[in-house]
Amino acid sequence: MPAHVPEHARGPIPPRAIHSGFSGPATGEEHQKLRRNFEARMRKAPGMLKPHVAKVGKDAAAIEGPLAKVAALPGKFPADLVEQARVNARDASSFRAVIDERGQLPALWLASEHFGW
């Protein structure tokens, strides 16, 4: 099986993960399991922040705890969500927009997490 091992001036770059393929629709239950897992991860991080929107702009310490918990979740998507939420943590409507309209974050997470882009 062909593989690409990126090199740096100081030697090979160790991979974070090895992508061994994609369970497409033809794989049946494996594809459904992959989809459910992906969709659950996309809902979990914003769901952890929604109950705290009322505290945004009023109590910075109260919102930092939930942000830290989301930041501790594995993967790029939760980290990017927290980064954007912290930028908007002084304004409740902007903070809610980050949570409700996560925009391209799932696509960026998928590209980073599964394809290493």
Side-chain angles (χ1 to χ4, degrees), residues 58-82:
K58 298 173 186 168
D59 186 0
I63 197 66
E64 189 53 39
L67 288 173
K69 287 180 182 177
V70 171
L73 294 173
K76 184 164 177 47
F77 173 70
D80 287 350
L81 179 66
V82 167

mmCIF file of all heavy atoms in Angstrom, residues 58-82:
data_model
loop_
_atom_site.group_PDB
_atom_site.id
_atom_site.type_symbol
_atom_site.label_atom_id
_atom_site.label_comp_id
_atom_site.label_asym_id
_atom_site.label_seq_id
_atom_site.Cartn_x
_atom_site.Cartn_y
_atom_site.Cartn_z
ATOM 1 N N LYS A 58 -21.560 38.898 31.500
ATOM 2 C CA LYS A 58 -21.875 39.256 32.883
ATOM 3 C C LYS A 58 -20.843 38.706 33.855
ATOM 4 O O LYS A 58 -20.457 39.370 34.799
ATOM 5 C CB LYS A 58 -23.260 38.732 33.260
ATOM 6 C CG LYS A 58 -24.368 39.311 32.421
ATOM 7 C CD LYS A 58 -25.684 38.646 32.727
ATOM 8 C CE LYS A 58 -26.752 39.141 31.773
ATOM 9 N NZ LYS A 58 -27.950 38.333 31.831
ATOM 10 N N ASP A 59 -20.434 37.456 33.627
ATOM 11 C CA ASP A 59 -19.530 36.789 34.557
ATOM 12 C C ASP A 59 -18.512 35.964 33.764
ATOM 13 O O ASP A 59 -18.781 34.829 33.386
ATOM 14 C CB ASP A 59 -20.332 35.897 35.506
ATOM 15 C CG ASP A 59 -19.482 35.274 36.593
ATOM 16 O OD1 ASP A 59 -18.261 35.516 36.626
ATOM 17 O OD2 ASP A 59 -20.049 34.532 37.423
ATOM 18 N N ALA A 60 -17.360 36.577 33.497
ATOM 19 C CA ALA A 60 -16.339 35.922 32.667
ATOM 20 C C ALA A 60 -15.859 34.612 33.289
ATOM 21 O O ALA A 60 -15.612 33.636 32.585
ATOM 22 C CB ALA A 60 -15.164 36.865 32.452
ATOM 23 N N ALA A 61 -15.745 34.568 34.603
ATOM 24 C CA ALA A 61 -15.272 33.352 35.266
ATOM 25 C C ALA A 61 -16.276 32.211 35.110
ATOM 26 O O ALA A 61 -15.886 31.055 34.965
ATOM 27 C CB ALA A 61 -15.015 33.629 36.745
ATOM 28 N N ALA A 62 -17.569 32.532 35.111
ATOM 29 C CA ALA A 62 -18.605 31.498 34.998
ATOM 30 C C ALA A 62 -18.600 30.848 33.614
ATOM 31 O O ALA A 62 -18.925 29.679 33.478
ATOM 32 C CB ALA A 62 -19.975 32.086 35.291
ATOM 33 N N ILE A 63 -18.209 31.580 32.597
ATOM 34 C CA ILE A 63 -18.190 31.023 31.253
ATOM 35 C C ILE A 63 -16.867 30.310 30.961
ATOM 36 O O ILE A 63 -16.806 29.414 30.128
ATOM 37 C CB ILE A 63 -18.498 32.114 30.191
ATOM 38 C CG1 ILE A 63 -18.898 31.496 28.857
ATOM 39 C CG2 ILE A 63 -17.357 33.040 30.005
ATOM 40 C CD1 ILE A 63 -20.184 30.759 28.894
ATOM 41 N N GLU A 64 -15.823 30.667 31.662
ATOM 42 C CA GLU A 64 -14.516 30.045 31.405
ATOM 43 C C GLU A 64 -14.504 28.564 31.769
ATOM 44 O O GLU A 64 -13.853 27.773 31.090
ATOM 45 C CB GLU A 64 -13.404 30.792 32.161
ATOM 46 C CG GLU A 64 -12.021 30.352 31.772
ATOM 47 C CD GLU A 64 -11.738 30.381 30.263
ATOM 48 O OE1 GLU A 64 -12.178 31.311 29.572
ATOM 49 O OE2 GLU A 64 -11.065 29.441 29.783
ATOM 50 N N GLY A 65 -15.208 28.169 32.802
ATOM 51 C CA GLY A 65 -15.270 26.757 33.183
ATOM 52 C C GLY A 65 -15.826 25.876 32.070
ATOM 53 O O GLY A 65 -15.185 24.903 31.662
ATOM 54 N N PRO A 66 -17.012 26.207 31.532
ATOM 55 C CA PRO A 66 -17.543 25.412 30.417
ATOM 56 C C PRO A 66 -16.643 25.454 29.176
ATOM 57 O O PRO A 66 -16.497 24.459 28.483
ATOM 58 C CB PRO A 66 -18.905 26.051 30.129
ATOM 59 C CG PRO A 66 -19.283 26.731 31.398
ATOM 60 C CD PRO A 66 -18.001 27.153 32.042
ATOM 61 N N LEU A 67 -16.032 26.620 28.915
ATOM 62 C CA LEU A 67 -15.122 26.699 27.766
ATOM 63 C C LEU A 67 -13.934 25.766 27.945
ATOM 64 O O LEU A 67 -13.510 25.096 26.999
ATOM 65 C CB LEU A 67 -14.642 28.136 27.559
ATOM 66 C CG LEU A 67 -15.668 29.124 27.008
ATOM 67 C CD1 LEU A 67 -15.113 30.536 27.019
ATOM 68 C CD2 LEU A 67 -16.111 28.732 25.617
ATOM 69 N N ALA A 68 -13.410 25.692 29.159
ATOM 70 C CA ALA A 68 -12.273 24.804 29.432
ATOM 71 C C ALA A 68 -12.674 23.336 29.244
ATOM 72 O O ALA A 68 -11.887 22.531 28.730
ATOM 73 C CB ALA A 68 -11.751 25.041 30.841
ATOM 74 N N LYS A 69 -13.889 22.981 29.652
ATOM 75 C CA LYS A 69 -14.355 21.594 29.477
ATOM 76 C C LYS A 69 -14.485 21.239 28.000
ATOM 77 O O LYS A 69 -14.120 20.141 27.582
ATOM 78 C CB LYS A 69 -15.695 21.379 30.186
ATOM 79 C CG LYS A 69 -15.564 21.328 31.691
ATOM 80 C CD LYS A 69 -16.905 21.120 32.340
ATOM 81 C CE LYS A 69 -16.764 21.125 33.860
ATOM 82 N NZ LYS A 69 -18.069 20.993 34.520
ATOM 83 N N VAL A 70 -15.010 22.156 27.202
ATOM 84 C CA VAL A 70 -15.126 21.904 25.763
ATOM 85 C C VAL A 70 -13.739 21.835 25.127
ATOM 86 O O VAL A 70 -13.467 20.976 24.297
ATOM 87 C CB VAL A 70 -16.008 22.976 25.073
ATOM 88 C CG1 VAL A 70 -15.954 22.838 23.562
ATOM 89 C CG2 VAL A 70 -17.439 22.879 25.573
ATOM 90 N N ALA A 71 -12.843 22.717 25.548
ATOM 91 C CA ALA A 71 -11.478 22.724 25.007
ATOM 92 C C ALA A 71 -10.761 21.407 25.295
ATOM 93 O O ALA A 71 -9.883 20.998 24.538
ATOM 94 C CB ALA A 71 -10.686 23.890 25.578
ATOM 95 N N ALA A 72 -11.133 20.731 26.378
ATOM 96 C CA ALA A 72 -10.494 19.466 26.742
ATOM 97 C C ALA A 72 -10.983 18.284 25.894
ATOM 98 O O ALA A 72 -10.370 17.217 25.933
ATOM 99 C CB ALA A 72 -10.735 19.177 28.225
ATOM 100 N N LEU A 73 -12.071 18.478 25.135
ATOM 101 C CA LEU A 73 -12.556 17.398 24.278
ATOM 102 C C LEU A 73 -11.535 17.130 23.178
ATOM 103 O O LEU A 73 -10.839 18.041 22.737
ATOM 104 C CB LEU A 73 -13.902 17.779 23.652
ATOM 105 C CG LEU A 73 -15.081 17.929 24.601
ATOM 106 C CD1 LEU A 73 -16.291 18.471 23.843
ATOM 107 C CD2 LEU A 73 -15.412 16.601 25.262
ATOM 108 N N PRO A 74 -11.444 15.887 22.711
ATOM 109 C CA PRO A 74 -10.463 15.584 21.666
ATOM 110 C C PRO A 74 -10.848 16.184 20.313
ATOM 111 O O PRO A 74 -12.021 16.367 20.029
ATOM 112 C CB PRO A 74 -10.482 14.052 21.600
ATOM 113 C CG PRO A 74 -11.824 13.666 22.101
ATOM 114 C CD PRO A 74 -12.198 14.714 23.123
ATOM 115 N N GLY A 75 -9.855 16.492 19.537
ATOM 116 C CA GLY A 75 -10.067 16.939 18.165
ATOM 117 C C GLY A 75 -9.975 18.432 17.971
ATOM 118 O O GLY A 75 -9.917 19.218 18.918
ATOM 119 N N LYS A 76 -9.965 18.809 16.719
ATOM 120 C CA LYS A 76 -9.813 20.214 16.327
ATOM 121 C C LYS A 76 -11.115 20.993 16.439
ATOM 122 O O LYS A 76 -11.111 22.171 16.794
ATOM 123 C CB LYS A 76 -9.284 20.272 14.897
ATOM 124 C CG LYS A 76 -8.995 21.665 14.404
ATOM 125 C CD LYS A 76 -8.143 21.629 13.172
ATOM 126 C CE LYS A 76 -7.880 23.002 12.600
ATOM 127 N NZ LYS A 76 -7.482 24.002 13.559
ATOM 128 N N PHE A 77 -12.235 20.365 16.152
ATOM 129 C CA PHE A 77 -13.509 21.074 16.177
ATOM 130 C C PHE A 77 -13.786 21.730 17.535
ATOM 131 O O PHE A 77 -14.064 22.927 17.586
ATOM 132 C CB PHE A 77 -14.660 20.147 15.774
ATOM 133 C CG PHE A 77 -16.012 20.777 15.951
ATOM 134 C CD1 PHE A 77 -16.423 21.813 15.134
ATOM 135 C CD2 PHE A 77 -16.865 20.349 16.941
ATOM 136 C CE1 PHE A 77 -17.656 22.412 15.293
ATOM 137 C CE2 PHE A 77 -18.106 20.932 17.117
ATOM 138 C CZ PHE A 77 -18.501 21.964 16.291
ATOM 139 N N PRO A 78 -13.700 21.003 18.666
ATOM 140 C CA PRO A 78 -13.959 21.671 19.948
ATOM 141 C C PRO A 78 -12.975 22.808 20.229
ATOM 142 O O PRO A 78 -13.377 23.862 20.729
ATOM 143 C CB PRO A 78 -13.800 20.545 20.977
ATOM 144 C CG PRO A 78 -14.046 19.294 20.209
ATOM 145 C CD PRO A 78 -13.512 19.559 18.833
ATOM 146 N N ALA A 79 -11.711 22.619 19.885
ATOM 147 C CA ALA A 79 -10.714 23.670 20.123
ATOM 148 C C ALA A 79 -11.028 24.922 19.308
ATOM 149 O O ALA A 79 -10.943 26.048 19.817
ATOM 150 C CB ALA A 79 -9.322 23.154 19.792
ATOM 151 N N ASP A 80 -11.407 24.743 18.053
ATOM 152 C CA ASP A 80 -11.756 25.894 17.212
ATOM 153 C C ASP A 80 -13.027 26.574 17.697
ATOM 154 O O ASP A 80 -13.132 27.797 17.678
ATOM 155 C CB ASP A 80 -11.926 25.459 15.760
ATOM 156 C CG ASP A 80 -10.607 25.133 15.082
ATOM 157 O OD1 ASP A 80 -9.541 25.424 15.660
ATOM 158 O OD2 ASP A 80 -10.646 24.568 13.976
ATOM 159 N N LEU A 81 -13.989 25.797 18.144
ATOM 160 C CA LEU A 81 -15.229 26.360 18.673
ATOM 161 C C LEU A 81 -14.929 27.221 19.902
ATOM 162 O O LEU A 81 -15.424 28.340 20.022
ATOM 163 C CB LEU A 81 -16.218 25.251 19.034
ATOM 164 C CG LEU A 81 -17.544 25.715 19.616
ATOM 165 C CD1 LEU A 81 -18.343 26.496 18.583
ATOM 166 C CD2 LEU A 81 -18.346 24.526 20.116
ATOM 167 N N VAL A 82 -14.096 26.718 20.803
ATOM 168 C CA VAL A 82 -13.738 27.473 22.012
ATOM 169 C C VAL A 82 -12.984 28.747 21.650
ATOM 170 O O VAL A 82 -13.232 29.807 22.224
ATOM 171 C CB VAL A 82 -12.918 26.600 22.988
ATOM 172 C CG1 VAL A 82 -12.282 27.435 24.078
ATOM 173 C CG2 VAL A 82 -13.818 25.531 23.593
#
